[in-house]
Amino acid sequence: MEIIQVKDYQEMSKKASEIIEGKINLIDKPVLGLATGSSPEGMYECLIDKYKKGEISFQNTTTFNLDEYIDLSKDNSNSYYYYMHDKLFNHIDIKSINVHLLKGMARDLREEALRYERMIRDAGGIDLQVLGIGVNGHIGFNEPGTKFTNRTGVVELNELTRQANLRHFQSLDQVPTHAITMGIETIMDSKEILLLAFGKEKSRAVKGMIHGDVDEHLPASVLQKHQKVTIIADEAALSNV
Ligand code: F6R
């Protein structure tokens, strides 16, 4: 694991966007795995900036998002479909046919998960997967206790995660109880991983990810077994390391 300590959120976002830019410029048809949440928001802003300045083009880029809530429609501002279009896709030259998100409203969610896995395979796999980390050490929506052998599928969100995401909703009963997410094994198949962690509340999870036992109780600890992981984190997130 390579750990890059940054001084603030802005530096984390800038460094992350430079890594993405490097990939896009290096590979003919780059395949990116993307995350939602607060951690990558600034990175998306930097990427939009680079696109507007003509430094980067997404014409040949394909994306796969990590996860989506079950039962939120695309136009619900809390859906990850909405987030990604609002924060990135609507502002760059990516082709909509190359944008992939799990469909949380699919009638057959098992088939949806298989379809997603097939599409990732057909695209040649993910070159670079961006991740955030939950306060409980989740990656994607793979909560503590999830099998490392899990592939894309439906999961139940635990209370800590629902509480953490409550800030985007009006009340806890509006926060979905289930999501569809790439599995740990799907994430581990990515050729390279970039994880962003910011703030004191992530410090326990970050410590476990880097130094803890590789154990299903802390999903992010599995990343110790990946051949190429870069972690960009601020001092507070690294304060227990
Ligand atoms: C988001 C995702 C989650 C978040 C994690 C951290 O697509 O899969 O694992 O990355 O919950 O969220 P933030 O960045 O909001 O602290």
Side-chain angles (χ1 to χ4, degrees), residues 36 49 72 90 140-141 161 235:
T36 56
D49 238 39
L72 290 194
N90 289 348
F141 269 139
T161 298
E235 201 179 330

Side-chain angles (χ1 to χ4, degrees), residues 35-40 66-67 80 132-134 138-141 167 202:
T36 56
S38 336
S39 308
L66 272 173
D67 41 18
Y80 289 166
I133 182 169
H138 74 210
I139 47 175
F141 269 139
R167 64 190 193 274
K202 300 290 173 70

Side-chain angles (χ1 to χ4, degrees), residues 34-41 65-68 80 83 130-136 138-142 161 164-165 167-168 181 196 198 201-202:
L34 298 178
T36 56
S38 336
S39 308
E41 241 184 271
N65 261 81
L66 272 173
D67 41 18
E68 179 61 282
Y80 289 166
Y83 171 109
V130 177
L131 297 176
I133 182 169
V135 284
N136 60 8
H138 74 210
I139 47 175
F141 269 139
N142 296 286
T161 298
N165 290 353
R167 64 190 193 274
H168 304 293
T181 181
L196 309 182
F198 183 78
E201 74 268 22
K202 300 290 173 70

Side-chain angles (χ1 to χ4, degrees), residues 199-214:
K200 181 89 184 131
E201 74 268 22
K202 300 290 173 70
S203 61
R204 232 166 50 101
V206 167
K207 180 184 178 196
M209 164 174 70
I210 297 173
H211 293 304
D213 293 339
V214 177

Side-chain angles (χ1 to χ4, degrees), residues 85-130:
H85 286 79
D86 186 43
K87 309 251 183 268
L88 183 67
F89 299 143
N90 289 348
H91 311 283
I92 57 173
D93 62 345
I94 196 159
K95 296 180 184 141
S96 56
I97 193 171
N98 290 337
V99 164
H100 304 285
L101 284 117
L102 282 153
K103 296 191 173 91
M105 301 270 290
R107 228 180 277 154
D108 185 342
L109 290 162
R110 230 179 78 84
E111 178 48 38
E112 172 61 6
L114 293 173
R115 180 190 73 90
Y116 211 61
E117 288 278 342
R118 250 188 336 261
M119 286 200 308
I120 295 174
R121 235 184 0 256
D122 291 350
I126 292 172
D127 293 306
L128 178 68
Q129 175 67 57
V130 177

Side-chain angles (χ1 to χ4, degrees), residues 5-8 197-200 203 233-241:
Q5 183 174 325
V6 290
K7 62 176 187 308
D8 55 22
F198 183 78
K200 181 89 184 131
S203 61
D234 72 330
E235 201 179 330
L238 289 169
S239 58
N240 280 334
V241 171

